[in-house]
């Protein structure tokens, strides 16, 4: 299959109606989209990404009526949807049987969001089905924040990449689930726990996920570059890795030296800009023949929490 990149909405619509896959821009990362109601299209998504069949997909819809068509939304979830969507937030809700089991990998819950990108919202207006879309990267690698990133990872496996420019948030959506008297946060992202509490009055609890195994080799990493990445105090890490060709990821401090190349994610120390640059920078470093990536611990506030989460998951784990 020949993969092309362009801005032709009609071409994207025609491919999706024919149960083919199209990579779509969102404000978070690019998604690999197919008709969420078609088993044929959804199985192509799993195949193209080499994604394990037990890992469910997010439904992308155009409005709140559509959320109600595919899920049972409680009052707090509807408030979150009304105020924060379209936006970088995904709701995990009880699924209606309008959604095929393959899309949710057999789960009776469905993850659903309204992406905030004009091209993709226009696309959703022109089709009468929701789009299932995981991030448009081969399973396990860094999520794509530009059309070229998608092409680099999935060339030959999908027909078309709808180019909506670089994404504006740059990290995957926050995933949350209202549990009656509290909210469970399954993935940190562009919307913070504090924002959810302010909006609903509900306490936010984090899902206890073993992100970093105690013993190397226990768990496969996610969002991971090929170059080994270590996180912590930069001066100390530089000592430990002396003699190697080092790439550093920092917020704004420049650690450059003879064998050390520093990539500041935001020279003015802006965490949103840093979040936006993280994945593209990891990809650039991966192409640059470095032996090791050393990453700073970012401030644990706002989207800094999501930056730290992604860097933690990108850490070097023996596979
Ligand atoms: O920002 C985003 O959410 C991007 C853009 C493309 O929308 N999508 C994205 O999809 O990050 P993906 O598949 O890479 O990550 C979705 C996560 C996965 O960890 C998946 O296991 C979880 O959401 N998920 C999806 N449906 C679920 C369900 N029914 N129950 C539990 N977890 C679910
Ligand atoms: Mg993903």
């Amino acid at each position: 299959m020949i993969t092309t990149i362009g801005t032709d909405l009609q071409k994207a619509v025609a491919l999706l109606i024919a149960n083919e896959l199209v990579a779509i821009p969102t404000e978070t990362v690019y998604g690999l989209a197919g008709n969420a109601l078609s088993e044929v299209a959804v199985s192509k998504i799993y195949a193209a990404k080499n994604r394990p069949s037990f890992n469910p997909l997010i439904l992308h819809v155009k409005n709140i009526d559509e959320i109600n068509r595919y899920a049972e939304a409680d009052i707090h979830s509807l408030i979150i949807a009304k105020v924060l969507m379209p936006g970088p937030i995904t709701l995990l809700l009880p699924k209606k049987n309008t959604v095929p089991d393959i899309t949710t990998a057999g789960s009776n819950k469905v993850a659903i969001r309204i992406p905030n990108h004009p091209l993709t919202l226009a696309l959703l207006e022109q089709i009468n089905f929701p789009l299932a879309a995981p991030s448009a990267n081969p399973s396990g690698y860094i999520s794509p924040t530009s059309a070229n990133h998608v092409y680099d990872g999935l060339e030959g496996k999908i027909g078309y990449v709808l180019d909506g420019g670089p994404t504006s948030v740059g990290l995957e959506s926050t995933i949350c689930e209202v549990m009656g008297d509290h909210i469970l946060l399954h993935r940190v992202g562009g919307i913070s726990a504090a924002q959810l509490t302010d909006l609903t009055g509900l306490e936010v609890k984090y899902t206890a996920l073993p992100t970093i195994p105690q013993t190397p080799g226990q768990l496969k990493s996610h969002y991971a570059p090929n170059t080994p990445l270590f996180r912590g105090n930069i001066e100390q890490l530089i000592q430990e890795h002396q003699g190697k060709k080092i790439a550093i990821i920092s917020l704004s401090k420049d650690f450059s030296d003879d064998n050390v190349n520093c990539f500041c994610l935001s020279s003015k120390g802006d965490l949103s800009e840093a979040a936006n640059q993280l994945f593209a920078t990891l990809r650039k470093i991966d192409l640059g023949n470095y032996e090791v990536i050393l990453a700073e611990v970012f401030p644990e506030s706002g989207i800094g929490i999501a930056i730290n989460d992604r860097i933690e998951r990108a850490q070097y784990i023996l596979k």
Side-chain angles (χ1 to χ4, degrees), residues 48-65:
K49 269 186 71 95
N50 200 13
R51 182 179 179 106
S53 59
F54 55 78
N55 196 355
L57 308 177
I58 296 177
L59 246 64
H60 294 64
V61 298
K62 58 178 172 247
N63 59 35
I64 292 178
D65 285 348

Side-chain angles (χ1 to χ4, degrees), residues 24-32 49 51 54-60 87-93 95 103-105 107-113 115 133-137 143-144 171-175 177 186-187 222-223 310 313:
I24 55 165
T26 83
E27 78 282 34
T28 57
V29 300
Y30 274 72
L32 177 56
K49 269 186 71 95
R51 182 179 179 106
F54 55 78
N55 196 355
L57 308 177
I58 296 177
L59 246 64
H60 294 64
I89 178 105
T90 296
L91 287 165
L92 192 59
L93 294 167
K95 143 183 166 0
T103 308
T104 61
S107 170
N108 55 11
K109 292 176 189 171
V110 61
I112 196 159
R113 83 182 198 92
S135 52
N137 51 282
S143 293
L171 297 179
E172 303 85 351
S173 61
T174 300
I175 302 179
E177 182 178 9
H186 293 281
R187 182 171 72 187
H222 287 76
Y223 314 99
R310 300 310 188 273
R313 288 168 197 266

Side-chain angles (χ1 to χ4, degrees), residues 9 25-27 86 115-126 162 164 168:
L9 209 55
T26 83
E27 78 282 34
N116 192 13
H117 192 290
L119 210 49
T120 291
L121 286 171
L123 176 66
L124 286 165
E125 285 296 336
Q126 293 195 33
L162 189 61
S168 56

Side-chain angles (χ1 to χ4, degrees), residues 16 24 27 35 93 102 131 134 151 186 206 231 250 255:
L16 290 166
I24 55 165
E27 78 282 34
N35 180 349
L93 294 167
I102 185 175
L131 292 173
Y151 186 88
H186 293 281
Y206 292 83
R231 173 177 182 254
S250 76
F255 293 92

